[in-house]
Amino acid sequence: MSQAEFARHRGVSKAIVTKWKGQGLLSLTDDGKVDVDATEWNLDQRPATYRGGTTHRPVRAIPQDEEPVGKPARPAAAPRPAPAAPQPVNDEAGSDPVEFDPENPNLPLAQAAQRKENYLGLLRKQEHAVKQGLLVDRAAAEAAFFDEARAIRDAWIAWPARVAIEMADELKIDARELTQVLSDYVNKHLAELGEPTDLDLSRHQQS
């Protein structure tokens, strides 16, 4: 078979056949013809996939008494061993645990997350108590206590003048003198109780 016929037989161009000849893959007879079986055997010894295309046949086994054409195939690389898992570092025996300070602004990430969850839980608990009517706004409570205390104080201040005439008539004494005496004692008592602005709600907080 001529080189042109072999090129058509292999489905390649004649230039490829010429290249194979230069690489020593083309086996020729004494009359210059292509030895098809020998040449195809040489071509099929190449890797299954290479830059020139794909071989047409599986790689043949090389007889023990013959040398392979071209470079021998590289042995398969041994699989790499899996990296060893890092071993946990144990703390020294008997070491005291680090004290958790919720007010520390430089807490580790885990403790900072714990503090956040604790505060969020307290906030949700407070919101629930407000919805249930168990908690009220402090400013509103202070205003209500102040108004109530002032109303009680004003009522006590007006009380001597309101009852002195009737009391004086029953006691058969001067109403003006009784009014003055009652007013003095009421004012003294109110002074001991203090002004409404001095109200301290902390004494009334639930334990």
Side-chain angles (χ1 to χ4, degrees), residues 1-30:
M1 183 180 292
S2 64
Q3 296 184 23
E5 293 173 342
F6 185 72
R8 289 192 297 271
H9 169 71
R10 294 287 295 190
V12 296
S13 64
K14 188 176 180 180
I16 295 297
V17 175
T18 303
K19 181 179 179 181
W20 289 343
K21 181 179 180 181
Q23 294 175 346
L25 299 175
L26 201 65
S27 179
L28 302 176
T29 60
D30 295 339

Side-chain angles (χ1 to χ4, degrees), residues 26 33 45 51 53-54 58 63 66-67 70 92 102 106 109 121 130 138 152 154-155 199 202:
L26 201 65
K33 299 293 184 179
Q45 301 313 303
R51 292 185 179 182
T54 304
E66 296 183 9
E67 293 294 333
E92 296 182 359
N106 299 317
L109 181 60
V130 171
R138 182 183 180 91
I152 294 174
D154 294 343
L199 185 64
S202 62

Side-chain angles (χ1 to χ4, degrees), residues 82-94:
Q87 298 295 330
V89 179
N90 296 328
D91 296 334
E92 296 182 359

